[in-house]
């Protein structure tokens, strides 16, 4: 796999290597795939490969000679500057922290700025590289403006649109991009990647299971113990939900809705943690313990599985997913959370014995 180092993404990597080798890199790429599988990382590696000045492997040609580099060296000044986010020709356009109450999203003013910059020659490298991530957050005006740019792409510029939900992009934008699909790697591939990075066997197995293929999370958790601590807290919370009174649930909904304004990603992570737990409970109830993520908590999962009715648990797992989608679509957080949390009794009703 070489220096691209992206477990499970051999197909996308091979397509990029081919384009680089043949000198047929597209003006625009669409990196499609689930969260945390390495879309942004792969886009940055492409930016590095396009600007790399290093010698690739022993005796391999340098970029700029007759032959072309097909993978970034990761060591030269441009590669390092790109990895560090300080290369003048490589920029990421993303959702900006807006004023309170302003519409979230990537706005047309940001796309106009991209237009302005990409009209200029590269400043320090061979090509400009613009990553739009998450691309589906471009609002309608921004997408229309960006479409104009794609229709007449400036020379020496490569765009990388990164998205987990391509359906929210204009078909006319999608059709002008070369599509690269990143898949969710198998748990065994994540485990192998963790072992290759020196994680011990038991930890690699647990993290791979917990990641459900989101390798970015797994690698981060391998280096940062606080992610697993946070997961323990979320499990405790997921379990506690079931025994909360209505008043406690309304309190919690209010508190979480307040936090959501400041740190939306924390709530999405919490919802994911709750869902992971209750999905495991469901798997235990279905006699499919092989498939659980929380492999180190089997005793507690069995306890919850015997305590709660299966239809209620299934309904709650579905409701958590729905709440996440509603929040992403800018529904009122407090309403979404109240609906979700008041629905917990169905998940928590004692099994009829
Ligand atoms: Zn390099």
């Amino acid at each position: 796999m070489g220096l691209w180092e992206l477990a499970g993404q051999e197909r996308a990597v091979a397509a990029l290597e081919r384009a680089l080798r043949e000198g047929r890199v597209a003006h625009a790429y669409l990196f499609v795939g689930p969260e945390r599988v390495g879309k942004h990382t792969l886009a940055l590696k492409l930016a590095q490969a396009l600007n790399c000045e290093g010698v690739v492997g022993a005796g391999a040609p340098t970029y700029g000679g007759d032959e072309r580099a097909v993978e970034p060296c990761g060591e030269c000044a441009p590669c390092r500057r790109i990895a560090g986010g300080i290369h003048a020709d490589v920029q990421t356009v993303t959702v900006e922290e807006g004023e309170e109450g302003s519409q979230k999203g990537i706005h047309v003013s940001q796309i106009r700025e991209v237009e302005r910059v990409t009209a200029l020659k590269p400043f320090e490298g061979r090509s400009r590289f613009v990553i739009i991530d998450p691309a589906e957050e471009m609002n309608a005006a921004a997408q229309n403006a960006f479409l104009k740019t794609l229709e007449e792409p400036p020379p020496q510029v490569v765009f990388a649109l990164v998205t987990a939900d391509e359906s929210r992009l204009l078909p006319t934008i999608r059709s002008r991009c070369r599509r690269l699909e990143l898949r969710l790697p198998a748990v065994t591939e994540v485990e192998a990647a963790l072992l290759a990075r020196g994680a011990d066997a038991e930890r690699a197995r647990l993290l791979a299971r917990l990641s459900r293929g989101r390798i970015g999370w797994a690698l981060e958790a391998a280096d940062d113990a606080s992610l697993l601590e946070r997961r323990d807290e979320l499990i405790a919370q997921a379990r506690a939900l079931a025994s909360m009174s209505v008043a406690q649930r309304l309190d919690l909904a209010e508190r979480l809705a307040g936090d959501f304004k400041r740190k939306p990603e924390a709530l999405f992570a919490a919802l994911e943690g709750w869902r992971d737990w209750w999905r495991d409970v469901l798997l235990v109830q279905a006699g499919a313990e092989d498939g659980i993520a929380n492999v180190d908590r089997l005793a507690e999962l069995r306890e919850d599985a015997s305590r709660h009715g299966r239809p209620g648990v299934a309904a709650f797992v579905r409701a958590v997913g729905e709440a996440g989608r509603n929040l992403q679509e800018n529904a009122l957080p407090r309403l979404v959370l109240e609906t979700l949390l008041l629905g917990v009794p169905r998940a928590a009703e004692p099994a009829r014995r």
Side-chain angles (χ1 to χ4, degrees), residues 147-170:
L147 180 59
K148 299 247 162 54
T149 306
L150 276 186
E151 281 167 348
E152 284 180 58
Q156 294 171 293
V157 179
V158 175
F159 293 102
L161 276 64
V162 173
T163 182
D165 183 5
E166 58 186 323
S167 70
R168 287 168 60 198
L169 288 167
L170 291 174

Side-chain angles (χ1 to χ4, degrees), residues 15 28-33 166 174 177-182:
Y29 283 91
L30 188 60
F31 291 86
V32 183
E166 58 186 323
R174 297 207 303 261
C177 297
R178 198 175 294 170
R179 186 173 182 279
L180 287 175
E181 188 167 338
L182 281 75

Side-chain angles (χ1 to χ4, degrees), residues 30-273:
L30 188 60
F31 291 86
V32 183
E35 300 294 349
R36 305 301 303 265
V37 294
K39 302 184 294 296
H40 193 95
T41 303
L42 190 56
L44 280 177
K45 300 244 177 193
L46 176 58
Q48 286 179 322
L50 289 169
N51 286 292
C52 181
E53 290 172 354
V55 175
V56 183
T62 55
Y63 200 125
D66 289 340
E67 296 196 57
R68 293 161 197 277
V70 296
E71 60 180 10
C73 76
E75 299 292 330
C76 68
C79 279
R80 284 174 182 274
R81 292 172 67 78
I82 290 168
I86 52 168
H87 193 288
D89 298 320
V90 178
Q91 66 178 117
T92 296
V93 178
T94 188
V95 178
E96 283 178 353
E97 292 284 317
E99 301 280 304
E100 189 91 17
S102 73
Q103 275 287 331
K104 275 190 301 190
I106 295 174
H107 297 275
V108 69
S109 58
Q110 292 169 271
I111 301 301
R112 298 253 184 269
E113 177 61 16
V114 167
E115 272 169 35
R116 192 186 66 76
V117 170
T118 53
L120 308 170
K121 277 207 165 115
F123 183 72
E124 58 175 296
R126 277 184 303 270
S127 68
R128 283 196 181 275
F129 200 92
V130 179
I131 302 173
I132 304 182
D133 180 11
E136 74 275 15
E137 289 299 327
M138 282 190 284
N139 64 25
Q143 290 203 27
N144 280 310
F146 185 65
L147 180 59
K148 299 247 162 54
T149 306
L150 276 186
E151 281 167 348
E152 284 180 58
Q156 294 171 293
V157 179
V158 175
F159 293 102
L161 276 64
V162 173
T163 182
D165 183 5
E166 58 186 323
S167 70
R168 287 168 60 198
L169 288 167
L170 291 174
T172 40
I173 287 182
R174 297 207 303 261
S175 69
R176 281 177 173 78
C177 297
R178 198 175 294 170
R179 186 173 182 279
L180 287 175
E181 188 167 338
L182 281 75
R183 63 187 187 88
L184 211 54
V187 166
T188 49
E189 290 173 307
V190 176
E191 193 174 338
L194 289 166
L195 290 172
R197 295 215 341 177
D200 76 69
E202 197 178 322
R203 197 170 166 83
R205 176 167 178 264
L206 174 64
L207 290 178
R209 283 299 190 104
L210 290 175
S211 77
R212 294 188 189 277
R214 295 159 306 164
I215 193 158
W217 182 89
L219 294 174
E220 208 179 319
D223 293 338
D224 181 355
S226 73
L227 267 73
L228 275 186
E229 285 163 21
R230 177 74 189 128
R231 168 230 174 202
D232 290 341
E233 288 166 24
L234 287 176
I235 289 177
Q237 198 176 44
R239 301 190 73 201
L241 291 175
S243 50
M244 281 184 186
S245 69
V246 169
Q248 284 171 320
R249 283 170 202 187
L250 291 175
D251 277 353
L252 181 62
E254 188 178 352
R255 190 159 56 76
L256 292 173
D259 293 346
F260 181 65
K261 283 190 197 124
R262 288 187 297 281
K263 265 187 100 183
E265 63 282 2
L267 179 59
F268 286 119
L271 292 179
E272 215 164 274

Side-chain angles (χ1 to χ4, degrees), residues 212 278-293:
R212 294 188 189 277
W278 289 103
R279 190 161 44 192
D280 277 358
V281 172
L282 202 56
L283 285 168
V284 172
Q285 289 174 329
E289 288 182 0
D290 283 354
I292 62 169

